[in-house]
Amino acid sequence: MALVERDSRELAVVVQCELLSLQRSAVYYQAAPVSERELLIKHRIDEVYTASPFYGIRKITAQLCQAGLVVNHKAVARHLREMGFGRSIRGRT
């Protein structure tokens, strides 16, 4: 995507994307910023997992709820995967 010149007058973005086999939407995509709540949840998950690496998803979820962060176990599983803990914690409750 770094090869695409958006302000080129010689080749349109559409043609550049076709030549590079890129989706045009990928050129224009901008990731949404991470919310403060999500950062807080991930920070707390990291604290709980570091203190008790043998906890599963549901126990981590219970710890978050006790701390006042209401989040379901599916969201905790997604955050753990994003943080790189997903493989080591899968299947434990």
Side-chain angles (χ1 to χ4, degrees):
M1 285 192 299
L3 298 174
V4 176
E5 296 175 0
R6 292 175 126 187
D7 55 347
S8 173
R9 294 188 180 187
E10 296 175 18
L11 284 175
V13 173
V14 176
V15 177
Q16 292 180 54
C17 288
E18 287 177 6
L19 291 172
L20 295 170
S21 300
L22 290 175
Q23 297 282 334
R24 228 177 11 164
S25 61
V27 174
Y28 296 110
Y29 176 76
Q30 291 184 358
V34 180
S35 70
E36 289 292 323
R37 184 174 190 276
E38 186 174 343
L39 287 176
L40 181 64
I41 289 170
K42 286 184 176 184
H43 180 69
R44 184 65 185 131
I45 287 173
D46 186 47
E47 288 176 351
V48 171
Y49 184 79
T50 302
S52 305
F54 49 88
Y55 275 8
I57 293 167
R58 292 183 190 262
K59 284 190 179 182
I60 292 173
T61 303
Q63 290 288 319
L64 293 175
C65 288
Q66 285 179 355
L69 295 169
V70 179
V71 61
N72 68 17
H73 68 279
K74 293 177 186 178
V76 171
R78 178 175 47 84
H79 291 310
L80 284 166
R81 274 194 314 273
E82 290 172 358
M83 296 166 64
F85 297 130
R87 200 153 240 256
S88 63
I89 202 162
R90 188 178 51 189
R92 287 190 264 160
T93 56

